[in-house]
Amino acid sequence: MVDAVWGTRAPASALGILRTYVHRLRKALGPAEDSAASLIRSTGDGHQLRTPPDALDLGAFRELLARAEQACGAGGIKGAAQVLDRRMAWIVGQYS
């Protein structure tokens, strides 16, 4: 992470700064009582950000396509179009 943030010009206090930022991120993302349930976990000498698939645009898009495919298989294109329309309206609303 130090290299990603500062490249070859990292300050001597880089690790401490990153630990502070990660601590603040953990608090901002909703501290979990159980550290295993935290969105940011310490792994070895690094950190891992864990998010549910539908929390990311790609995950939401994949979920949308899966629902549309199910609707298509269960009853036709009209149901799939309705699923796509509702979900796309929600996505557009998130970025408006």
Side-chain angles (χ1 to χ4, degrees):
M1 284 175 41
V2 170
D3 291 341
V5 174
W6 288 283
T8 59
R9 299 180 157 239
S13 58
L15 287 175
I17 293 169
L18 285 176
R19 285 186 186 112
T20 299
Y21 290 161
V22 169
H23 175 74
R24 289 178 184 170
L25 277 171
R26 279 187 174 134
K27 286 176 67 175
L29 293 173
E33 295 294 325
D34 176 14
S35 62
S38 177
L39 291 177
I40 299 176
R41 291 193 321 184
S42 297
T43 57
D45 61 350
H47 296 88
Q48 179 184 40
L49 176 64
R50 300 178 321 138
T51 59
D54 63 345
L56 303 174
D57 291 341
L58 179 59
F61 182 71
R62 286 180 175 159
E63 177 190 336
L64 164 68
L65 291 180
R67 286 185 185 180
E69 287 174 359
Q70 288 174 348
C72 242
I77 294 174
K78 186 175 181 179
Q82 289 172 340
V83 169
L84 290 170
D85 282 343
R86 282 194 306 269
R87 187 64 177 178
M88 289 305 293
W90 179 85
I91 290 170
V92 168
Q94 295 297 307
Y95 295 100
S96 298

